[in-house]
Amino acid sequence: MRLSRKGGWLMKKGCILLLLMGVISLPIIAQNIIYSNLKELLAQDGDTIAVLRIEKRSRNQIVLTGGADYRITVGNDESMGRRLKKRSFAVRDEKGDLYLNCRKLRYKRLRFGAWYAPAVQLDKKIYFCAMPLGSVVGGNFVEEDDVKLGGNIGDVLAASSLVTKRVCYELNAETGKIEFLDKDKMLELLKKHPELKQAYLKDDSPEAKHTFKYLLELRDKQK
C-alpha cells in the first residue's frame, strides 16, 4: 500500500516537473515593438502593437517626395499613425528587423528626410541605410572628370542621380553623433571575422547594398 502511494506521489511529481519544463521551453512570441526614443531602444523597452505594415517605397515616390525607403503604418488607428510618422524613434517587426525613423536625424546639420530606414543595432551603435549627404557625396560618388552644373537645375540633376543611392551611417548612442560608415570603420567592425573582412575588401564599395549585408552578418553573430 505504501509503495503504491509512494509510486503515485512520484508520478505526480514527475508530471509537475514535465509541465514546468514545457512552460520554460515555450518559444517567445515575436511582437511588433515601437520605441519612442533612443533610450527605449537601447533598453529594449518599447510598446508592443498587434499590426505593423511595412511598405517599401518606390523610386518614383522617393524622387517626388524624398526621404527614406520604407513607409510604416498601423492601419486605421490615426493616433498611432501620427505617432509612427512624427514621434517614434524606431520600430522592430515580428521578424526582428529594425527600422529607424529618419525624420529627426541629421548628418552635419543635413536632413535625411521623413520615413524609415533599415537599421542594425550592434551594442551601443545603430547603423542605418540612407541617401548620401554632403561630404559623403563628394568623397564617394563624384569623379574629377564629371560634368558639374551650377545653379538650381544642376543641384536638382545631381540630387536625382543620387536618389536611389544608399550608404550606411553610424549613430553613436553615447554621443548622439551620426557619422558616415567609411571603409576604416567597417574594417574595424570586421577585424574579428577575417572571412567577412576578406569578402568586404573584394566588394570594395561604399554603397549600402554591399556594406549592409555585413552588418546583418555581425548582428546574427552577436545573438
Side-chain angles (χ1 to χ4, degrees):
M1 186 73 174
R2 288 180 179 177
L3 288 174
S4 176
R5 288 179 179 175
K6 187 176 181 180
W9 180 81
L10 289 172
M11 186 176 292
K12 287 180 181 178
K13 186 177 180 181
C15 289
I16 292 171
L17 287 172
L18 286 172
L19 286 171
L20 287 173
M21 289 174 65
V23 170
I24 293 171
S25 62
L26 283 174
I28 298 173
I29 298 174
Q31 295 175 317
N32 299 305
I33 306 173
I34 299 175
Y35 303 100
S36 296
N37 50 56
L38 180 56
K39 184 178 179 180
E40 285 189 1
L41 175 59
L42 294 176
Q44 296 295 298
D45 183 25
D47 297 325
T48 59
I49 186 169
V51 178
L52 202 63
R53 295 189 177 91
I54 300 172
E55 170 195 344
K56 195 171 192 317
R57 301 174 69 219
S58 69
R59 185 183 188 282
N60 287 341
Q61 288 173 322
I62 296 171
V63 169
L64 290 172
T65 61
D69 293 322
Y70 288 87
R71 179 173 181 260
I72 300 180
T73 59
V74 289
N76 297 323
D77 189 333
E78 292 184 5
S79 175
M80 184 59 71
R82 286 193 298 271
R83 178 184 171 185
L84 269 174
K85 187 175 181 180
K86 296 184 178 180
R87 298 195 300 276
S88 295
F89 177 77
V91 300
R92 194 184 300 278
D93 69 11
E94 291 178 333
K95 297 182 292 184
D97 292 332
L98 183 67
Y99 298 88
L100 210 60
N101 191 347
C102 290
R103 178 175 288 274
K104 295 182 180 180
L105 300 182
R106 303 286 186 275
Y107 173 70
K108 297 182 179 179
R109 298 185 180 181
L110 299 173
R111 297 171 181 266
F112 290 102
W115 312 111
Y116 283 79
V120 169
Q121 180 180 350
L122 299 176
D123 297 321
K124 291 188 177 181
K125 291 183 178 178
I126 314 296
Y127 299 90
F128 64 99
C129 302
M131 186 173 141
L133 298 175
S135 59
V136 177
V137 177
N140 297 278
F141 297 100
V142 178
E143 301 296 335
E144 291 184 2
D145 57 352
D146 281 350
V147 176
K148 296 176 176 63
L149 300 176
N152 294 332
I153 294 176
D155 292 341
V156 169
L157 290 174
S160 65
S161 68
L162 293 170
V163 75
T164 56
K165 295 286 187 183
R166 294 292 178 268
V167 294
C168 291
Y169 294 88
E170 175 189 87
L171 168 58
N172 189 320
E174 294 180 336
T175 65
K177 188 176 180 180
I178 293 177
E179 295 182 345
F180 170 56
L181 182 61
D182 59 18
K183 188 174 183 178
D184 290 339
K185 285 180 177 291
M186 197 68 202
L187 290 175
E188 180 66 21
L189 287 172
L190 296 172
K191 67 180 182 179
K192 294 182 180 179
H193 307 281
E195 72 288 353
L196 294 180
K197 181 178 177 180
Q198 290 303 314
Y200 169 74
L201 288 170
K202 287 181 181 178
D203 285 333
D204 194 23
S205 170
E207 291 193 54
K209 63 184 180 182
H210 298 294
T211 56
F212 196 69
K213 63 185 178 183
Y214 296 104
L215 294 171
L216 292 173
E217 291 267 11
L218 291 172
R219 178 200 65 182
D220 294 340
K221 289 180 179 293
Q222 183 178 271
K223 290 179 180 179

